[in-house]
Amino acid sequence: MQYQKSYRPSFTLAGIARRTSNAHPEQIGAFWGRFRVEKIAQQLPQRVSDAVYSLYSEYDSDHTGEYTMLLGYEVPADAEVPEGMHKVTIPAAAYAVVDARGPQPETLMAAWQQVWSSCMPRNYGCDFDIYWGPETVEIYVSID
């Protein structure tokens, strides 16, 4: 699997969060539906950009266990967030960056399948996808 190694300084995300697992794609799809219906972007006026983040953290084990998923936006560290939303600071870390450009969600799902079956030195810290546009997604996988 091809990927670029990158170091990213710490940053802060805000949005809605829930516990889920890859064994429940219907929950993940419904969560994305909630994100769109609740118009999270409009509730976070201090967002740094319009890029949408999907954060995967607090893993129970590996990609087969439960984790916390946050859908939201990058915000300043001191941003105030509405009640019911979560704000998380992602620590500085090394990442394997995987390009998942193409028709979504098929391209993203195929890229994650490759990550899960790879020998990448994952540490199951904070992984995330950045949605730059309808067919432009980057996957950041935390590595040792």
Side-chain angles (χ1 to χ4, degrees):
M1 139 153 266
Q2 287 191 321
Y3 60 88
Q4 298 288 325
K5 289 184 181 179
S6 178
Y7 179 82
R8 178 139 184 190
S10 73
F11 63 102
T12 303
L13 297 177
I16 55 173
R18 69 159 294 155
R19 293 291 289 173
T20 192
S21 77
N22 295 324
H24 298 287
E26 73 285 354
Q27 289 179 356
I28 296 168
F31 191 49
W32 273 103
R34 177 182 162 205
F35 177 78
R36 286 188 284 279
V37 168
E38 292 183 16
K39 299 179 179 169
I40 301 304
Q42 293 176 4
Q43 297 182 51
L44 295 168
Q46 291 182 298
R47 65 188 181 281
V48 172
S49 76
D50 288 331
V52 175
Y53 284 72
S54 181
L55 173 70
Y56 316 105
S57 63
E58 301 173 337
Y59 287 92
D60 280 349
S61 55
D62 59 15
H63 68 277
T64 62
E66 285 196 353
Y67 54 86
T68 299
M69 181 178 184
L70 181 141
L71 295 176
Y73 297 88
E74 185 174 356
V75 296
D78 62 351
E80 295 291 326
V81 299
E83 187 174 330
M85 285 206 195
H86 299 263
K87 185 168 83 168
V88 179
T89 298
I90 292 54
Y95 293 95
V97 183
V98 178
D99 187 358
R101 292 173 199 246
Q104 301 300 332
E106 299 81 11
T107 304
L108 181 69
M109 290 167 43
W112 271 110
Q113 290 284 342
Q114 289 180 357
V115 168
W116 297 333
S117 64
S118 75
C119 296
M120 193 179 289
R122 295 187 67 184
N123 62 27
Y124 293 94
C126 293
D127 303 326
F128 54 92
D129 306 326
I130 305 176
Y131 295 79
W132 297 106
E135 293 193 356
T136 307
V137 183
E138 291 177 321
I139 299 172
Y140 284 73
V141 180
S142 60
I143 58 175
D144 292 324

Short mmCIF file of all heavy atoms in Angstrom, two decimals, residues 1-3 63 96 98 110-122 124 141-143:
data_model
loop_
_atom_site.label_atom_id
_atom_site.label_comp_id
_atom_site.label_asym_id
_atom_site.label_seq_id
_atom_site.Cartn_x
_atom_site.Cartn_y
_atom_site.Cartn_z
N MET A 1 0.84 -1.17 0.00
CA MET A 1 0.00 0.00 0.00
C MET A 1 0.88 1.23 0.00
O MET A 1 1.84 1.30 0.76
CB MET A 1 -0.91 -0.08 1.23
CG MET A 1 -1.12 1.19 1.98
SD MET A 1 -2.68 1.21 2.85
CE MET A 1 -3.67 2.01 1.64
N GLN A 2 0.54 2.20 -0.82
CA GLN A 2 1.33 3.43 -0.92
C GLN A 2 0.77 4.48 0.03
O GLN A 2 -0.45 4.67 0.12
CB GLN A 2 1.30 3.99 -2.33
CG GLN A 2 2.13 3.21 -3.30
CD GLN A 2 2.25 3.98 -4.61
OE1 GLN A 2 1.31 4.60 -5.06
NE2 GLN A 2 3.42 3.93 -5.19
N TYR A 3 1.71 5.15 0.72
CA TYR A 3 1.33 6.26 1.58
C TYR A 3 2.53 7.17 1.78
O TYR A 3 3.67 6.75 1.58
CB TYR A 3 0.77 5.80 2.92
CG TYR A 3 1.71 4.97 3.77
CD1 TYR A 3 2.60 5.57 4.66
CD2 TYR A 3 1.70 3.58 3.70
CE1 TYR A 3 3.45 4.80 5.45
CE2 TYR A 3 2.54 2.81 4.49
CZ TYR A 3 3.42 3.43 5.37
OH TYR A 3 4.25 2.68 6.14
N HIS A 63 -8.80 -2.14 14.64
CA HIS A 63 -9.88 -1.74 13.73
C HIS A 63 -11.12 -2.64 13.82
O HIS A 63 -12.16 -2.31 13.25
CB HIS A 63 -9.37 -1.69 12.29
CG HIS A 63 -9.02 -3.02 11.72
ND1 HIS A 63 -7.81 -3.61 11.95
CD2 HIS A 63 -9.71 -3.86 10.94
CE1 HIS A 63 -7.77 -4.77 11.34
NE2 HIS A 63 -8.92 -4.95 10.71
N ALA A 96 0.64 8.15 8.51
CA ALA A 96 0.70 7.66 7.15
C ALA A 96 -0.50 8.31 6.46
O ALA A 96 -1.63 8.21 6.93
CB ALA A 96 0.56 6.14 7.12
N VAL A 98 -2.90 8.59 3.25
CA VAL A 98 -3.36 7.82 2.10
C VAL A 98 -4.33 8.67 1.30
O VAL A 98 -5.28 9.23 1.84
CB VAL A 98 -4.07 6.52 2.58
CG1 VAL A 98 -4.60 5.73 1.40
CG2 VAL A 98 -3.14 5.69 3.45
N ALA A 110 -12.64 1.44 0.14
CA ALA A 110 -11.59 0.58 -0.43
C ALA A 110 -10.22 0.93 0.15
O ALA A 110 -9.42 0.04 0.46
CB ALA A 110 -11.57 0.70 -1.95
N ALA A 111 -9.97 2.23 0.34
CA ALA A 111 -8.68 2.65 0.91
C ALA A 111 -8.55 2.17 2.35
O ALA A 111 -7.48 1.68 2.76
CB ALA A 111 -8.54 4.17 0.84
N TRP A 112 -9.61 2.28 3.14
CA TRP A 112 -9.55 1.78 4.52
C TRP A 112 -9.36 0.26 4.55
O TRP A 112 -8.65 -0.26 5.42
CB TRP A 112 -10.79 2.20 5.32
CG TRP A 112 -10.60 3.53 5.98
CD1 TRP A 112 -11.22 4.71 5.67
CD2 TRP A 112 -9.72 3.83 7.06
NE1 TRP A 112 -10.78 5.72 6.49
CE2 TRP A 112 -9.86 5.20 7.36
CE3 TRP A 112 -8.82 3.07 7.82
CZ2 TRP A 112 -9.14 5.82 8.37
CZ3 TRP A 112 -8.10 3.69 8.83
CH2 TRP A 112 -8.26 5.05 9.10
N GLN A 113 -9.98 -0.46 3.63
CA GLN A 113 -9.77 -1.92 3.56
C GLN A 113 -8.29 -2.22 3.36
O GLN A 113 -7.75 -3.13 3.98
CB GLN A 113 -10.60 -2.53 2.42
CG GLN A 113 -12.09 -2.53 2.64
CD GLN A 113 -12.54 -3.61 3.62
OE1 GLN A 113 -11.83 -4.56 3.89
NE2 GLN A 113 -13.73 -3.44 4.15
N GLN A 114 -7.63 -1.44 2.52
CA GLN A 114 -6.20 -1.63 2.30
C GLN A 114 -5.40 -1.31 3.56
O GLN A 114 -4.44 -2.02 3.88
CB GLN A 114 -5.71 -0.77 1.13
CG GLN A 114 -6.19 -1.25 -0.21
CD GLN A 114 -5.69 -0.38 -1.34
OE1 GLN A 114 -5.01 0.62 -1.12
NE2 GLN A 114 -6.01 -0.76 -2.57
N VAL A 115 -5.78 -0.26 4.26
CA VAL A 115 -5.09 0.10 5.51
C VAL A 115 -5.22 -1.05 6.50
O VAL A 115 -4.24 -1.48 7.12
CB VAL A 115 -5.65 1.41 6.11
CG1 VAL A 115 -5.14 1.62 7.53
CG2 VAL A 115 -5.31 2.60 5.22
N TRP A 116 -6.44 -1.57 6.66
CA TRP A 116 -6.68 -2.64 7.64
C TRP A 116 -5.89 -3.91 7.33
O TRP A 116 -5.49 -4.62 8.24
CB TRP A 116 -8.16 -2.97 7.72
CG TRP A 116 -9.02 -1.84 8.20
CD1 TRP A 116 -8.65 -0.80 9.02
CD2 TRP A 116 -10.38 -1.60 7.89
NE1 TRP A 116 -9.69 0.05 9.23
CE2 TRP A 116 -10.78 -0.42 8.55
CE3 TRP A 116 -11.32 -2.28 7.11
CZ2 TRP A 116 -12.06 0.10 8.47
CZ3 TRP A 116 -12.60 -1.76 7.03
CH2 TRP A 116 -12.96 -0.58 7.70
N SER A 117 -5.66 -4.18 6.06
CA SER A 117 -4.94 -5.41 5.70
C SER A 117 -3.44 -5.19 5.49
O SER A 117 -2.72 -6.13 5.19
CB SER A 117 -5.56 -6.03 4.43
OG SER A 117 -5.38 -5.17 3.33
N SER A 118 -2.98 -3.96 5.69
CA SER A 118 -1.56 -3.66 5.46
C SER A 118 -0.72 -3.98 6.70
O SER A 118 -1.24 -4.26 7.78
CB SER A 118 -1.39 -2.17 5.11
OG SER A 118 -1.54 -1.38 6.28
N CYS A 119 0.57 -3.88 6.53
CA CYS A 119 1.52 -4.05 7.63
C CYS A 119 1.96 -2.70 8.18
O CYS A 119 3.04 -2.59 8.79
CB CYS A 119 2.73 -4.85 7.15
SG CYS A 119 2.33 -6.52 6.66
N MET A 120 1.18 -1.68 7.97
CA MET A 120 1.48 -0.34 8.44
C MET A 120 1.69 -0.37 9.96
O MET A 120 0.92 -1.04 10.66
CB MET A 120 0.29 0.56 8.07
CG MET A 120 0.51 2.02 8.19
SD MET A 120 -1.02 2.91 7.69
CE MET A 120 -1.03 2.64 5.93
N PRO A 121 2.69 0.35 10.48
CA PRO A 121 2.96 0.34 11.93
C PRO A 121 1.98 1.22 12.71
O PRO A 121 2.35 2.21 13.32
CB PRO A 121 4.39 0.86 12.02
CG PRO A 121 4.52 1.79 10.85
CD PRO A 121 3.70 1.14 9.75
N ARG A 122 0.72 0.82 12.74
CA ARG A 122 -0.33 1.61 13.38
C ARG A 122 -0.19 1.60 14.90
O ARG A 122 0.21 0.60 15.48
CB ARG A 122 -1.71 1.06 13.02
CG ARG A 122 -2.02 1.20 11.54
CD ARG A 122 -3.43 0.81 11.25
NE ARG A 122 -4.35 1.78 11.85
CZ ARG A 122 -5.67 1.64 11.82
NH1 ARG A 122 -6.23 0.60 11.25
NH2 ARG A 122 -6.44 2.55 12.37
N TYR A 124 -3.00 3.07 16.72
CA TYR A 124 -4.39 3.24 17.13
C TYR A 124 -4.55 4.40 18.11
O TYR A 124 -5.26 4.31 19.09
CB TYR A 124 -4.97 1.93 17.68
CG TYR A 124 -5.09 0.90 16.59
CD1 TYR A 124 -4.07 -0.03 16.38
CD2 TYR A 124 -6.16 0.90 15.72
CE1 TYR A 124 -4.15 -0.95 15.35
CE2 TYR A 124 -6.25 -0.02 14.69
CZ TYR A 124 -5.24 -0.94 14.52
OH TYR A 124 -5.33 -1.84 13.49
N VAL A 141 -3.47 8.09 9.18
CA VAL A 141 -3.41 6.94 10.09
C VAL A 141 -2.22 7.15 11.03
O VAL A 141 -1.08 7.27 10.56
CB VAL A 141 -3.22 5.63 9.30
CG1 VAL A 141 -3.17 4.44 10.23
CG2 VAL A 141 -4.34 5.46 8.26
N SER A 142 -2.47 7.19 12.33
CA SER A 142 -1.38 7.42 13.29
C SER A 142 -0.46 6.20 13.32
O SER A 142 -0.91 5.06 13.39
CB SER A 142 -1.92 7.74 14.68
OG SER A 142 -2.71 6.70 15.18
N ILE A 143 0.83 6.49 13.20
CA ILE A 143 1.84 5.43 13.15
C ILE A 143 2.94 5.71 14.17
O ILE A 143 3.10 6.82 14.65
CB ILE A 143 2.44 5.28 11.74
CG1 ILE A 143 3.07 6.59 11.27
CG2 ILE A 143 1.39 4.78 10.75
CD1 ILE A 143 3.80 6.52 9.94
#
